[in-house]
Amino acid sequence: MLKTAYNLTRPDERTTSVVFASPHSGRDYPESFLRRAVLNASEIRSSEDAFVDQLFAAVPSLGAPLLTANAPRAYLDLNRGPDELDAALIEGVRRAAHNPRIASGLGVIPRVVANGRHIYRGKLTLVEAHQRIANYWRPYHDQLQTLLDESSNIFGEAILIDCHSMPHEALENVGPPGGARPDVVLGDRFGAAAAGSIVERVEAAFASAGLRVARNMPFAGAFITQHYGRPARQQHAIQVEIDRALYMNERTLEPNENFESFKTLLSGVVAEIADIGRAADQKVAAE
């Protein structure tokens, strides 16, 4: 069993309505889980957003909280709803209406990792699935909503930056044939999860650092942006997907020679994004 569901690093003082969170960078793999898996250590980590928590480590120094998961994605996917249970993996689950995430083996308890490789030899019990959700899913999401509520109470709005990474190969068919691939994909569920003015400023922050940015293709956002993105209530959620090839070797799962320079570059981007949430503070102060 993992020691804690998440790590929360708070700033000395909250100065922005922006909250940064990394639900897929967890790498605390329980021994009992690894013993049941048919994959080796590197295969089982292929779905992990490795090092994303480290890339965003400057967040608290910029006045924003940073929430990072400890549970690895192969064990429990925090970017899925707690009811997205896979009948092909979990005993006693009824087959529900078609859900493409569950059908592909990527429910809240994943059946597969990247490239469709199966994780387990057999099925899990429904009791075990519910225990994982109770022990890790609910604490993470309870804490995330608490942070967003704090932003709303202090600044009059909340902006969630949901931090992810994407395999370089996922970008093969993005953009015009022969054109440059994006380095970053922003997902706002085609405008449903965040105000366009905020998404534009987040895009500008990445673009000003020389990064190519696309929106919603191939990643528009999953459960987290869908659940927390409530722009009519001044609660905005934007998923950020960063090309792993920019900072790591995807084969060895190790930082590459560009890691530190990219981390420094990203810290500047984070500072600009944090400034978006300070505009809300200034607006509240003026009223």
Side-chain angles (χ1 to χ4, degrees):
M1 185 170 177
L2 311 182
K3 293 180 181 177
T4 57
Y6 59 81
N7 291 318
L8 173 61
T9 309
R10 290 183 176 272
D12 292 337
E13 179 185 2
R14 286 284 294 272
T15 63
T16 173
S17 64
V18 183
V19 173
F20 293 82
S22 173
H24 286 164
S25 58
R27 49 187 172 272
D28 191 352
Y29 289 84
E31 282 298 325
S32 59
F33 168 63
L34 293 175
R35 284 196 299 269
R36 297 172 67 179
V38 297
L39 303 174
N40 63 38
S42 61
E43 289 171 337
I44 210 163
R45 290 188 62 198
S46 60
S47 294
E48 179 187 311
D49 284 348
F51 313 116
V52 166
D53 53 341
Q54 296 177 33
L55 290 175
F56 285 86
V59 162
S61 68
L62 298 164
L66 176 62
L67 178 68
T68 62
N70 285 331
R73 185 183 185 185
Y75 182 75
L76 176 79
D77 194 336
L78 294 165
N79 200 18
R80 299 291 182 264
D83 59 344
E84 292 188 77
L85 296 169
D86 187 349
L89 174 66
I90 302 165
E91 295 174 349
V93 173
R94 292 183 180 180
R95 293 189 182 276
H98 179 71
N99 177 313
R101 296 192 290 246
I102 295 175
S104 62
L106 297 173
V108 65
I109 310 291
R111 176 166 34 98
V112 301
V113 293
N115 298 318
R117 291 169 291 186
H118 283 255
I119 298 172
Y120 301 96
R121 292 185 174 85
K123 282 193 169 187
L124 306 181
T125 66
L126 186 57
V127 169
E128 181 174 353
H130 284 162
Q131 285 176 339
R132 292 190 194 183
I133 291 166
N135 291 336
Y136 307 111
W137 193 98
R138 296 203 180 279
Y140 180 90
H141 282 278
D142 287 348
Q143 183 59 73
L144 180 54
Q145 187 62 65
T146 295
L147 293 171
L148 295 173
D149 290 344
E150 289 174 0
S151 287
S152 295
N153 292 334
I154 298 169
F155 303 99
E157 73 172 17
I159 302 171
L160 170 61
I161 303 298
D162 189 41
C163 307
H164 296 261
S165 67
M166 54 189 174
H168 185 68
E169 66 181 17
L171 305 169
E172 283 182 358
N173 299 315
V174 178
R181 300 178 179 184
D183 301 309
V184 176
V185 176
L186 303 181
D188 65 352
R189 297 191 66 82
F190 299 95
S197 59
I198 292 175
V199 182
E200 287 171 6
R201 291 192 63 183
V202 172
E203 180 174 348
F206 283 101
S208 67
L211 297 169
R212 295 182 296 272
V213 185
R215 290 198 202 179
N216 293 309
M217 294 298 288
F219 304 108
F223 172 81
I224 289 173
T225 46
Q226 182 178 10
H227 181 75
Y228 293 101
R230 296 287 184 268
R233 302 179 193 172
Q234 298 303 309
Q235 180 171 290
H236 311 273
I238 302 169
Q239 178 177 281
V240 174
E241 296 272 3
I242 301 172
D243 182 359
R244 294 173 185 167
L246 293 171
Y247 59 88
M248 66 176 280
N249 182 315
E250 294 184 77
R251 184 180 58 81
T252 64
L253 297 175
E254 294 177 341
N256 65 21
E257 65 278 6
N258 299 319
F259 184 84
E260 290 301 330
S261 60
F262 185 76
K263 181 179 177 181
T264 300
L265 180 79
L266 197 58
S267 297
V269 174
V270 168
E272 289 193 38
I273 294 174
D275 280 342
I276 300 170
R278 295 192 180 95
D281 186 31
Q282 294 162 7
K283 181 173 65 178
V284 170
E287 291 176 347

